[in-house]
Amino acid sequence: MFGTTGATDQASGLRRMQAMAPPKVIAITGGKGGVGKTMVSANLGVALARENRRTLLMDADLGLANVDVALGLQPKGDLSDILSGRLGLADVILDGPFGLRVVPAASGVSRMTGLSSSEHAGLINAFGELDEPVDYLLVDTAAGISEDVTAFARAAQEVLVVLCDEPASLTDAYALIKVLSREQDLVRFHVVSNLVRNADHGRALFRKLSAVSEKFLDVVLHYAGAIPLDEGVRKAIQRQQSVLEAFPEAPAASAFRRLVDYVEKWPTPTGPKGDLEFFVERVLAASQTD
């Protein structure tokens, strides 16, 4: 079972978290699988870490975890070990490229709605007890519109939707934005066009999604840029590396550096919403009410 800490330990952990600047929490999601969501998450995390931003990448695809595989990492444990109480968060965090920190998930982990009260408390405490400072928390969600996905998106400060030029990608991205808008009251979304031929192709793809979303939904979509269809990305994936490691001069690597510039312009949170402990608490609360 998951052990709980005493009131003194909890208060100490909360004060420690409040003493550190809260991170920017970004949920990276997409309407369907196969759009390159995990590739974008991993490469954005590496790009931020490369710029000396203290970045924690959380694999939140509880059914098909693969961030560790994408970066060639060997997990010592995962979220299931935290939930069981066998390991703490600090025990399972992996060291990735350029100092990126990775929290691996595990295939077959129970959905958030299946967690017991003690597991809820334990997971919150595990994140609250992390005493290393974090500038960015990137959350690589599952594909689709499951309760897990909506809970993570609702708890984050910003939502980055990955889009590619396939009819199903457009329709499913719209469906995701519709659910998050009407059921979770989210109004602001960032969109990155992936696997595009050129800059014009990326903007045209964004305009297709933006036009229908802003016409029928009370939302605002912001264009985060485009990631080109790049042979370097395919080769990097085969090597289980980010493109910034394998081919730092590749067009896609440059695109991720531009994406970092875009993300850096987002305001830094000033309240507890950015605390890791508070983020997890919001995830669990959202999963119980959805």
Side-chain angles (χ1 to χ4, degrees):
M1 290 295 295
F2 210 118
T4 57
T5 60
T8 301
D9 290 338
Q10 293 181 16
S12 175
L14 182 58
R15 286 194 296 272
R16 183 169 60 249
M17 294 301 298
Q18 290 175 335
M20 296 186 288
K24 295 178 181 178
V25 181
I26 305 169
I28 302 171
T29 188
K32 66 180 291 292
V35 298
K37 174 182 56 60
T38 295
M39 185 277 291
V40 170
S41 299
N43 279 277
L44 176 57
V46 170
L48 284 164
R50 191 172 180 272
E51 296 299 318
N52 296 317
R53 302 298 183 261
R54 298 165 299 192
T55 306
L56 183 64
L57 171 57
M58 179 180 178
D59 190 341
D61 189 340
L62 303 180
L64 297 170
N66 56 12
V67 166
D68 55 312
V69 176
L71 293 174
L73 305 177
Q74 300 296 322
K76 299 165 290 185
D78 50 53
L79 284 178
S80 64
D81 296 302
I82 297 175
L83 293 174
S84 68
R86 192 176 73 84
L87 297 173
L89 181 61
D91 300 317
V92 307
I93 292 181
L94 300 172
D95 291 317
F98 303 107
L100 173 67
R101 304 278 273 161
V102 178
V103 181
S107 296
V109 174
S110 298
R111 298 179 67 179
M112 287 295 182
T113 51
L115 302 185
S116 67
S117 297
S118 62
E119 288 172 328
H120 282 190
L123 192 58
I124 292 169
N125 287 338
F127 275 82
E129 291 167 5
L130 182 66
D131 59 2
E132 60 183 76
V134 175
D135 297 318
Y136 287 91
L137 171 60
L138 306 182
V139 182
D140 180 33
T141 78
I145 54 174
S146 69
E147 292 176 356
D148 288 344
V149 174
T150 58
F152 280 115
R154 177 178 174 180
Q157 295 146 357
E158 307 288 348
V159 177
L160 180 65
V161 179
V162 180
L163 182 69
C164 69
D165 195 2
E166 297 178 4
S169 176
L170 285 163
T171 57
D172 290 355
Y174 174 78
L176 172 66
I177 291 170
K178 179 179 178 179
V179 168
L180 293 174
S181 169
R182 294 185 175 178
E183 298 183 9
Q184 307 297 334
D185 298 323
L186 299 185
V187 297
R188 183 177 67 243
F189 299 86
H190 307 272
V191 178
V192 60
S193 299
N194 192 28
L195 305 173
V196 301
R197 296 185 301 274
N198 50 48
D200 289 341
H201 182 202
R203 285 194 172 276
L205 186 58
F206 167 75
R207 284 196 292 269
K208 288 181 182 179
L209 179 62
S210 178
V212 66
S213 297
E214 295 184 357
K215 179 177 181 180
F216 296 106
L217 305 174
D218 186 19
V219 298
V220 176
L221 271 58
H222 300 280
Y223 185 52
I227 310 299
L229 182 62
D230 186 344
E231 180 67 11
V233 172
R234 186 187 66 81
K235 291 181 178 179
I237 291 173
Q238 290 179 334
R239 296 184 184 187
Q240 292 182 273
Q241 290 182 308
S242 69
V243 70
L244 290 105
E245 297 171 86
F247 305 102
E249 301 306 316
S254 298
F256 279 110
R257 287 191 287 269
R258 290 192 295 272
L259 183 58
V260 165
D261 293 338
Y262 176 81
V263 168
E264 289 270 68
K265 296 175 183 178
W266 297 346
T268 300
T270 57
K273 186 178 179 182
D275 290 346
L276 298 184
E277 182 179 22
F278 193 75
F279 165 73
V280 176
E281 189 170 8
R282 284 172 58 86
V283 169
L284 296 173
S287 68
Q288 288 180 303
T289 57
D290 289 346

